[in-house]
Amino acid sequence: MFYDDNADLSVIQGRHVAVLGYGSQGHAHALSLRDSGVDVRVGLPEGSKSRAKAEAQGLRVVTPAEAVEEADVIVVLAPDPAQRKLYKEAIEPNLVDGDALVFGHGFNIRFGYIKPPAGVDVFMVAPKGPGHLVRREYSEGRGVPVLVAVEQDATGKAWDLALSYAKGIGGLRAGGIKTTFTEETETDLFGEQAVLCGGVSALITAGYETLTEAGYQPEVAYFECLHELKLIVDLIYEGGIAKQRWSVSDTAEYGDYVSGPRIIDASVKARMKEVLGDITDGTFAARFIADQDAGAPEFAEFRKKSQEHPIEAVGKELRGLMAWVKSHDDDYVEGSAAR
Ligand SMILES: NC(=O)C1=CN([C@@H]2O[C@H](COP(=O)(O)OP(=O)(O)OC[C@H]3O[C@@H](n4cnc5c(N)ncnc54)[C@H](OP(=O)(O)O)[C@@H]3O)[C@@H](O)[C@H]2O)C=CC1
Ligand SMILES: CC[C@](O)(C(C)=O)C(=O)O
Ligand SMILES: [Mg+2]
Ligand SMILES: [Mg+2]
């Protein structure tokens, strides 16, 4: 594990950084690096709706090509499917030997959509958390753990720079782990699909549907299967699964042992292995990129269907009645997954 004492902030402070993209991760990296005393400019296309936000937050915005030309550390934080074209059009023509190309996730390198030239450093600092929380934690003096990998060390100094960058966004306050682009990409895609996003969303929805279809009140089902999850996860975050079992009733703990494995049984684990297989052999990446290249019709349909689920309407109403449950993010539009 790497912590703040293992990195020298002056390394990244001595470079010129271009953050391309100002979404979930882009705004967090750009603002936290700026607050860590680093020279940062943001690269966004003319007409990008993020331009006004970055400027309002005190950052200088230029086009991606101008940003790459000015800088010697180029951070690729546009959406994964947009990175290939961004690289071809704005990054590759303006890269010079000695520059560093930085990623927040290894997708485009792991699946071969981007192939950097030999003379540049290529590294990754991948926060293990959503960008809005990466920024929130940094601002509150804490951090989100990061995975750090060097794919290409052209200058012989890529590790020092990568760790310095990780310190600049607050990642080494929480801890950094050395990894590879392959390990980060495959575990990250698996985690978000099987557990953190796909698995949890499907579990919540199935629980809610089971209760409401049996005639229980939707509001009771929402509190039981969604709202209380945060309170339970807070205990797991603080003290592992054991602490959750320490706080819940013996009735709940016994029911956990009896019924948990009936829900998440060996067949679920077998399907998790299939999901991991689709990730490692490139099936998932190819399906995602093909849909994006076709204008994302499958993605749009998935989003529409999930946003129309009754759990979202019930949740909106109930959250509106709890003054303390409010979004920390001014630009979040209630009920929409789109950024
Ligand atoms: N979201 C997360 O929390 C995490 C993301 N990552 C990784 O970080 C990277 C960025 O993901 P994320 O933050 O979700 O991305 P977002 O979807 O939030 O990125 C959107 C931003 O990118 C801009 N953008 C879109 N196209 C371009 C382009 N061609 N050139 C420059 N900017 C562009 C958008 O501008 P506009 O407003 O005009 O659309 C917007 O500012 C990915 O590699 C992802 O896997 C890693 C860990 C967690
Ligand atoms: C869990 C989703 C994630 O991998 C993340 C926030 O870490 C992502 O790609 O957004
Ligand atoms: Mg992740
Ligand atoms: Mg991810």
Side-chain angles (χ1 to χ4, degrees), residues 272-306:
M272 282 185 170
K273 287 181 179 174
E274 286 172 19
V275 165
L276 184 59
D278 283 355
I279 290 165
T280 55
D281 72 10
T283 302
F284 170 78
R287 175 175 171 178
F288 178 47
I289 294 298
D291 183 58
Q292 290 283 323
D293 286 352
E298 188 183 34
F299 194 18
E301 187 55 33
F302 285 149
R303 260 191 184 161
K304 183 170 175 290
K305 217 172 145 198
S306 70

Side-chain angles (χ1 to χ4, degrees), residues 179-258:
T179 186
T180 61
F181 272 61
T182 295
E183 183 181 50
E184 185 279 337
T185 304
E186 295 175 359
T187 54
D188 188 78
L189 293 175
F190 176 78
E192 66 200 21
Q193 291 177 28
V195 181
L196 302 171
C197 306
V200 166
S201 304
L203 191 67
I204 293 171
T205 310
Y208 175 89
E209 287 174 359
T210 302
L211 289 179
T212 53
E213 284 166 17
Y216 298 103
Q217 298 176 71
E219 292 80 2
V220 171
Y222 179 88
F223 280 146
E224 193 58 47
C225 298
L226 190 151
H227 182 86
E228 193 172 344
L229 185 64
K230 185 240 186 295
L231 309 175
I232 293 287
V233 167
D234 281 351
L235 290 174
I236 296 174
Y237 177 87
E238 283 169 27
I241 295 169
K243 184 163 184 196
Q244 178 261 130
R245 288 179 174 148
W246 164 81
S247 180
V248 301
S249 62
D250 286 354
T251 322
E253 186 185 349
Y254 182 76
D256 162 347
Y257 300 134
V258 168

Side-chain angles (χ1 to χ4, degrees), residues 24-25 80 105 127-131 188-189 191-192 196-197 339:
S24 183
Q25 289 294 327
D80 292 308
H105 174 47
K128 290 288 95 186
D188 188 78
L189 293 175
E192 66 200 21
L196 302 171
C197 306
R339 270 199 295 280

Side-chain angles (χ1 to χ4, degrees), residues 58 66 226 334:
E66 287 165 341
L226 190 151
E334 174 74 57

